[in-house]
Amino acid sequence: MTETTARQRKKILVVTAHPEPRSLTAALTAFAADHLRAAGHEVRVSDLYAMKWKATVDADDFPEHPAGGRLDVMGASQRATLAGRLTPDVAAEQEKVHWSDAVVLQFPLWWFSMPAILKGWIDRVFSCGFAYGPEVPAPYGGGAALAGRRALLSVTAGARGTAFSDRGVHGRLADVLHPIQHGVFWFTGMEPLEPFAVYGANDLPEDAFAAARQAYARRLDALFTDEPVAFRALAGGDYDRDMRLLPGAEAPGTSGLDLHLRPAG
Amino acid sequence: MTETTARQRKKILVVTAHPEPRSLTAALTAFAADHLRAAGHEVRVSDLYAMKWKATVDADDFPEHPAGGRLDVMGASQRATLAGRLTPDVAAEQEKVHWSDAVVLQFPLWWFSMPAILKGWIDRVFSCGFAYGPEVPAPYGGGAALAGRRALLSVTAGARGTAFSDRGVHGRLADVLHPIQHGVFWFTGMEPLEPFAVYGANDLPEDAFAAARQAYARRLDALFTDEPVAFRALAGGDYDRDMRLLPGAEAPGTSGLDLHLRPAG
């Protein structure tokens, strides 16, 4: 536990998604909240199952959408956002995101991605006009909608860690989570950290759970000091007008999704 | 349109996810169903929004789960599946998947992944004991639970195609969709094809829509003849006991998620 001065006191939103209050996910959520509070931070938790979060984007999300009118989701989302006419559940979550200095998503990897209820939190809360879109500061950079917020994925997986290692059969964890790390966080201007993962989660022995808590504590202590993943900036001169990385921008031998990291050194 | 003999007559399940019946997604779904039927195939469509599909896995999915009992999702899923005690909505979708020779998922890329309602179709329908798990034939291979079925992702994206190209800022489309292509389809023994994508989908001119239909028709005509993505078999001798690719198994210079493709030639 670190001492926290007023200057270091931060606001953290933890969003968690598991139907069982006695699950490993729930235990890690409680651990994170307690640990961060003990370090002097403010913490709010959105427990999506406990909140009975509506997962599905539909016309009911846009109260002013005319009945029978053709639903253009992005357009309706932007109009409702800019007019302040989103549903109260979505507005409340947006307020929490705005309030936060960091967002932690705690979830079990289901089919190598978020549980549907958490995907539905992203789909609904990260509305056009809030998290991206022509009417908010350009995404992908310092002036972006959600810029200045740290973002940490904290996942549990049934598989062993080697299966998510560099040469692991499921792909590197960073590559599997790329649609969230880059697609959601980077896209909206947030600063994604390396994900934190607990493997073998279907039957975790007590000593492994204790080790996981210790490792998680270290990551939480460094939530505002660890270097974010070094994704390139779209406006940084590395990409052409068609959003392709310029020839030769990468270090020799770099390929795959690593192309979009700034070369080290 | 190709002539179809009795031998070539196939069964195709199209699963589609968009809240607006006049959307591009709905139009592509109708086009695919019509085109495949005109070629002599049998087609069933699961329109998740029209069905008011329940997106979220919870205790209600397992009617015999004891009230107040700790919900271990994988265990409860397996017990309900093996006992034939899943909810009727899930059982009906599993019957369709079993019936099918190919599954087509038609959806808009929302946050670089499936809309929550479709993720919830995977989360609930691909239950333990149906799509994977210790009590079904080992996944990742010829004897796997859903082996023998073709799988095609047909997506629409607002971005331009170059942004999803080899050097595109969002990552190659194949890498962005890897959690589905490899994580869902390969994992359950299905045979994923290269995804089909329509870009610039937020405002698609009529001539681009016509071209998209033509391109989609060619992909649908080749649904059972195109070579699937050449993912390596886990039991094929390429991986060690910790599920890591063996040193030197790849062609020189191969890295990233391409490690898990069989070398060409």
Side-chain angles (χ1 to χ4, degrees):
Chain A
M1 197 178 313
T2 35
E3 271 191 45
T4 306
T5 67
R7 194 181 57 77
Q8 294 169 318
R9 188 179 169 87
K10 298 281 193 180
K11 301 183 181 77
I12 297 133
L13 171 62
V14 181
V15 184
T16 182
H18 198 286
E20 171 54 58
R22 290 156 291 186
S23 61
L24 176 61
T25 295
L28 290 169
T29 299
F31 175 79
D34 290 348
H35 188 83
L36 290 164
R37 286 180 181 130
H41 300 303
E42 286 183 77
V43 179
R44 292 164 82 180
V45 176
S46 288
D47 180 341
L48 299 183
Y49 274 94
M51 295 157 67
K52 300 188 189 304
W53 181 256
K54 173 179 181 279
T56 298
V57 173
D58 59 26
D60 293 342
D61 288 350
F62 314 112
E64 300 200 344
H65 179 71
R70 186 178 186 281
L71 180 64
D72 155 28
V73 172
M74 189 171 145
S77 171
Q78 176 171 276
R79 284 189 296 276
T81 302
L82 298 181
R85 292 285 297 165
L86 290 161
T87 56
D89 60 345
V90 170
E93 294 306 298
Q94 291 187 344
E95 187 274 324
K96 294 179 196 172
V97 173
H98 262 314
W99 164 88
S100 74
D101 299 305
V103 175
V104 178
L105 304 186
Q106 177 75 56
F107 60 99
L109 268 187
W110 284 357
W111 295 105
F112 303 90
S113 186
M114 293 182 275
I117 198 170
L118 181 53
K119 180 56 165 54
W121 185 84
I122 298 287
D123 286 349
R124 297 183 64 228
V125 175
F126 279 35
S127 69
C128 184
F130 174 78
Y132 75 104
E135 300 296 327
V136 296
Y140 339 111
L146 303 181
R149 286 170 186 77
R150 294 290 174 115
L152 176 65
L153 298 179
S154 175
V155 305
T156 56
R160 65 196 95 175
T162 52
F164 286 100
S165 66
D166 265 26
R167 299 175 69 81
V169 67
H170 298 319
R172 289 187 311 182
L173 186 66
D175 289 347
V176 172
L177 296 177
H178 192 264
I180 312 172
Q181 291 278 93
H182 195 271
V184 177
F185 294 145
W186 172 87
F187 193 91
T188 59
M190 300 178 81
E191 297 170 359
L193 302 168
E194 291 294 336
F196 173 70
V198 177
Y199 297 105
N202 290 336
D203 187 20
L204 198 68
E206 182 52 43
D207 60 336
F209 179 44
R213 287 195 305 269
Q214 283 200 348
Y216 197 10
R218 288 193 295 272
R219 294 298 309 277
L220 294 168
D221 289 339
L223 192 53
F224 297 97
T225 51
D226 272 344
E227 280 295 312
V229 176
F231 291 127
R232 299 172 186 269
L234 187 64
D238 294 340
Y239 294 93
D240 68 18
R241 295 166 66 101
D242 289 322
M243 302 174 78
R244 281 180 303 227
L245 188 67
L246 290 166
E250 71 275 26
T254 307
S255 67
L257 294 170
D258 284 350
L259 287 175
H260 305 289
L261 299 174
R262 296 192 302 271
Chain B
M1 200 178 313
T2 35
E3 271 193 43
T4 306
T5 66
R7 192 181 58 77
Q8 293 168 319
R9 188 178 169 87
K10 298 282 193 181
K11 302 183 180 77
I12 297 133
L13 172 62
V14 181
V15 184
T16 183
H18 198 288
E20 172 53 60
R22 289 155 293 186
S23 61
L24 177 59
T25 295
L28 290 169
T29 299
F31 175 78
D34 290 348
H35 188 83
L36 290 165
R37 285 181 182 128
H41 300 302
E42 286 182 76
V43 180
R44 293 163 82 180
V45 176
S46 289
D47 180 341
L48 299 183
Y49 274 94
M51 295 158 67
K52 301 187 189 302
W53 180 256
K54 173 179 180 281
T56 298
V57 174
D58 59 25
D60 293 343
D61 287 349
F62 314 113
E64 301 200 342
H65 178 71
R70 185 178 186 282
L71 181 64
D72 155 28
V73 173
M74 189 171 146
S77 171
Q78 176 170 275
R79 282 188 298 277
T81 302
L82 297 181
R85 293 283 298 164
L86 290 162
T87 55
D89 60 345
V90 170
E93 294 306 298
Q94 290 188 344
E95 186 273 324
K96 293 179 195 172
V97 174
H98 262 314
W99 164 87
S100 73
D101 299 306
V103 175
V104 178
L105 303 186
Q106 177 75 56
F107 59 99
L109 268 186
W110 284 357
W111 295 105
F112 303 91
S113 185
M114 294 181 276
I117 199 171
L118 180 54
K119 180 55 166 51
W121 186 85
I122 297 287
D123 286 349
R124 297 182 65 229
V125 175
F126 279 38
S127 68
C128 184
F130 174 78
Y132 76 104
E135 302 295 327
V136 296
Y140 339 111
L146 303 182
R149 285 170 186 76
R150 294 292 175 111
L152 176 65
L153 297 180
S154 176
V155 306
T156 55
R160 65 195 95 174
T162 52
F164 286 100
S165 66
D166 264 28
R167 300 175 69 81
V169 69
H170 298 319
R172 289 186 312 180
L173 186 67
D175 290 347
V176 172
L177 296 176
H178 192 262
I180 313 172
Q181 291 278 91
H182 195 271
V184 178
F185 294 146
W186 172 88
F187 193 92
T188 58
M190 299 178 81
E191 297 170 2
L193 302 168
E194 291 293 338
F196 173 71
V198 177
Y199 297 104
N202 291 336
D203 187 20
L204 198 69
E206 181 53 40
D207 60 335
F209 180 43
R213 287 196 305 269
Q214 283 199 348
Y216 197 10
R218 288 192 296 273
R219 294 298 309 277
L220 294 168
D221 289 339
L223 192 53
F224 297 98
T225 51
D226 272 344
E227 280 295 313
V229 176
F231 290 128
R232 297 172 189 270
L234 187 64
D238 292 341
Y239 294 93
D240 68 18
R241 295 166 66 101
D242 288 322
M243 302 174 77
R244 282 181 302 230
L245 188 67
L246 290 165
E250 72 274 25
T254 308
S255 67
L257 294 170
D258 285 349
L259 286 175
H260 305 288
L261 299 174
R262 296 192 302 272

